[in-house]
Amino acid sequence: MARGKRFWSISTSLVLCSTLLFACSNNANNTNTPSSSPSTSADTGTKETNAGSTNDGSTTGNTEKKVITITYRDDGIGEQGVMYKWIQELAANFPDKSIEIKATPIQASEGDYFAKIALALKSKDTAPDIVTEDTFILNSDASAGYLTPLDDKVSAWEDWTNGSFIEALKKGVTASDGKVYGVPYNTDSRGLWYNKELFKKAGLPEEWAPKNWDEVLDAARTIKSKLPDVVPIWMNMGKATGEATSMQTYEMLLYGTGERLYDNDTGKWITKSQGINDALTFIQTINKEKLGPPLSKVLNGQAGNTATREYLPQGKLAISLDGSWITGNYLDGGAAPWPEYKDVLGFAPMPTSKGQAPGSITLAGGWALSIPANAQHKDEAWEVIKFALNKENSKKLVIASGNITVRADVGSDPEYTQMPFNQIATDYLKNAEFRPAQDKYPEVSTQIQTMVESVASGTSAKDAANKYAQDVTRIVGADKTVEK
């Protein structure tokens, strides 16, 4: 998920070459959907004629079904994915049988997904009825006119107004114009996952809580020395891993220095600061000392999956800077079932750079269900969203995916609270920071990814920072930048 997980680093030509998603033609064998998925449809607004039936199974005649499509990112596991299974269950249990719910996934890297979605939302011919929106991009998509405001609908929905949803998390789906453009279905936090068994072998504490960056680096150096066949630490560092590089690596580091991307007081983007240099120097140190995986692995679009689904479960990785959701991979039916994960893994808070207050840092994100402005069946889509994100269906999704719930009633449900790491991941939200709710953020994020990858590939922190400052100034304008 994650998560949270739209980046404009992919050129328009590449996007066009990969076709206009699921709805570009009437060919149901779209390459953006799992080839074995008979339930996906290339038509985003089709009506199908079916024989209706009563509760006892008798036929009532032909009825037209409205097909409500839900588009989300499939990271390569198709029908085994949590979202696919969840949507299939929604479709089977949705009470209005005149509506058919269909999954229309896009199989792509994170960056590709956001680029393809941006293109699809522009047209009635390609827009789905419901789209999963990473909350960081929601403001940008809303500003571009791609999404439908939902204020009138949520204000009439009891679940939204009676305290069932955590009030603070509604900010993630509220754009800069003050309107609501989606209903959140998860949130997340980030920290340092580590393998307790490997730590024990290396003589490191099994209950690990580093107080500053030096202690993180020292642990990685110890792993390299004592366990040479193990990757000491993994962080996303490539353009191909998109927002995971921006948020889970760079911003976790930058915010840990006390700096921010955007100065809310002045309304300007920070293009030069000691915090930027410190964050990039940390990344530079990991690569210079070979504390991370080979570049061929970390700069690959599947880097996150490789770390989470292969290296961690196989005991090949000691520390991973990643999100709270990764344990969803290890559950029965997950992408990489690993029953022992709850005993083998630890989840330590990411410390601030020098241990300064508040001591640790996390970035929180999340995803929402939104209705595109060009959706063909908006009223029916809203009914599907209400059903999909009621208490029971929300609980099923966050438990299966390993995410943190946005619903207070789910948060107190015993079935949710007994899940390993849920409580600690939620506790980390006390020191949570968020990405800037600015429509230029996606473009700035692309420059972050370029900057981080260049450092990982050998460019000095100073040179990479200077290039970043130039690129951000070009994007936002010199009058919207500030140096610290």
Side-chain angles (χ1 to χ4, degrees):
M1 308 260 87
R3 307 263 200 226
K5 52 143 231 93
R6 289 92 177 170
F7 313 99
W8 315 103
S9 58
I10 308 301
S11 69
T12 301
S13 60
L14 286 177
V15 176
L16 290 172
C17 286
S18 57
T19 77
L20 286 176
L21 308 177
F22 39 81
C24 285
S25 69
N26 291 325
N27 181 2
N29 294 321
N30 191 300
T31 57
N32 286 329
T33 60
S35 59
S36 60
S37 173
S39 62
T40 58
S41 172
D43 300 315
T44 59
T46 58
K47 292 184 179 181
E48 297 183 2
T49 302
N50 297 278
S53 62
T54 63
N55 291 335
D56 62 5
S58 60
T59 300
T60 61
N62 289 336
T63 60
E64 284 189 332
K65 280 194 174 184
K66 288 185 177 178
V67 179
I68 303 302
T69 53
I70 304 178
T71 292
Y72 63 96
R73 174 181 166 245
D74 169 18
D75 63 359
I77 54 178
E79 294 182 10
Q80 297 306 308
V82 169
M83 283 295 289
Y84 181 84
K85 293 179 179 179
W86 181 68
I87 292 171
Q88 293 304 101
E89 186 171 353
L90 295 178
N93 296 324
F94 191 63
D96 186 347
K97 299 307 177 184
S98 69
I99 291 176
E100 181 175 356
I101 301 172
K102 285 195 174 184
T104 51
I106 299 173
Q107 190 172 106
S109 67
E110 194 170 54
D112 282 350
Y113 172 76
F114 297 130
K116 291 178 180 181
I117 281 296
L119 188 62
L121 296 181
K122 293 180 180 180
S123 170
K124 289 183 180 294
D125 294 328
T126 55
D129 295 294
I130 299 171
V131 62
T132 58
E133 286 270 314
D134 190 323
T135 53
F136 96 93
I137 199 71
L138 184 141
N139 184 65
S140 180
D141 283 351
S143 297
Y146 295 156
L147 303 177
T148 301
L150 302 176
D151 300 77
D152 58 334
K153 296 185 182 300
V154 294
S155 63
W157 184 26
E158 185 179 2
D159 281 23
W160 190 261
T161 59
N162 67 4
S164 294
F165 281 83
I166 299 170
E167 198 66 30
L169 297 177
K170 294 180 181 179
K171 292 187 295 184
V173 292
T174 303
S176 56
D177 63 3
K179 295 180 180 179
V180 173
Y181 286 92
V183 178
Y185 60 84
N186 66 34
T187 189
D188 47 48
S189 61
R190 287 151 180 78
L192 295 166
W193 292 99
Y194 66 99
N195 187 309
K196 293 182 178 182
E197 294 178 349
L198 295 177
F199 267 49
K200 184 177 181 179
K201 289 180 181 178
L204 293 167
E206 293 181 65
E207 298 303 322
W208 184 53
K211 295 181 176 61
N212 52 52
W213 290 0
D214 284 341
E215 291 190 9
V216 175
L217 291 172
D218 286 344
R221 290 169 180 137
T222 299
I223 293 291
K224 181 181 179 181
S225 174
K226 299 292 183 64
L227 304 173
D229 294 330
V230 171
V231 173
I233 186 169
W234 193 307
M235 303 188 301
N236 289 294
M237 295 186 185
K239 292 184 286 186
T241 42
E243 186 65 7
T245 295
S246 299
M247 186 183 187
Q248 284 160 224
T249 297
Y250 178 73
E251 289 164 38
M252 284 285 288
L253 293 170
L254 178 69
Y255 284 37
T257 70
E259 282 289 358
R260 300 294 180 265
L261 284 173
Y262 184 83
D263 188 329
N264 287 313
D265 293 333
T266 62
K268 296 182 178 183
W269 294 88
I270 301 171
T271 54
K272 289 187 178 181
S273 71
Q274 186 61 47
I276 293 174
N277 291 329
D278 289 348
L280 294 179
T281 298
F282 185 91
I283 295 168
Q284 183 174 272
T285 299
I286 285 177
N287 288 281
K288 185 176 181 180
E289 297 186 21
K290 300 187 183 305
L291 299 175
L295 287 183
S296 61
K297 295 288 186 181
V298 79
L299 300 185
N300 188 287
Q302 290 298 311
N305 288 340
T306 301
T308 299
R309 299 173 183 173
E310 296 178 30
Y311 277 58
L312 270 178
Q314 294 170 14
K316 297 178 180 179
L317 173 62
I319 306 166
S320 182
L321 177 57
D322 214 325
S324 55
W325 62 86
I326 72 166
T327 56
N329 290 287
Y330 309 136
L331 304 177
D332 289 342
W338 182 22
E340 299 83 9
Y341 82 93
K342 60 183 178 295
D343 300 315
V344 175
L345 290 181
F347 193 32
M350 179 65 184
T352 52
S353 59
K354 300 181 186 304
Q356 69 271 37
S360 66
I361 193 74
T362 196
L363 266 288
W367 289 75
L369 295 183
S370 297
I371 300 176
N374 282 319
Q376 297 186 31
H377 307 300
K378 295 182 181 180
D379 289 340
E380 292 82 1
W382 174 245
E383 293 303 315
V384 170
I385 288 176
K386 287 197 299 181
F387 177 73
L389 300 184
N390 65 24
K391 179 186 176 183
E392 287 305 311
N393 289 325
S394 291
K395 181 174 71 173
K396 290 176 183 177
L397 179 58
V398 293
I399 287 176
S401 63
N403 284 113
I404 301 173
T405 185
V406 296
R407 291 190 61 122
D409 48 7
V410 172
S412 59
D413 189 289
E415 191 176 354
Y416 172 81
T417 56
Q418 70 183 6
M419 293 293 293
F421 301 108
N422 267 5
Q423 189 59 58
I424 190 170
T426 302
D427 288 344
Y428 290 170
L429 291 174
K430 295 174 182 177
N431 294 328
E433 294 284 349
F434 300 86
R435 292 160 290 184
Q438 302 294 323
D439 59 6
K440 292 294 185 182
Y441 173 77
E443 295 176 79
V444 172
S445 179
T446 297
Q447 302 310 317
I448 290 172
Q449 296 152 32
T450 299
M451 174 175 62
V452 171
E453 180 168 310
S454 69
V455 172
S457 302
T459 302
S460 71
K462 180 180 178 181
D463 289 345
N466 286 336
K467 181 66 164 56
Y468 170 77
Q470 295 170 8
D471 291 334
V472 173
T473 300
R474 171 178 49 80
I475 290 168
V476 305
D479 60 328
K480 295 295 184 182
T481 65
V482 63
E483 298 180 10
K484 295 285 188 177

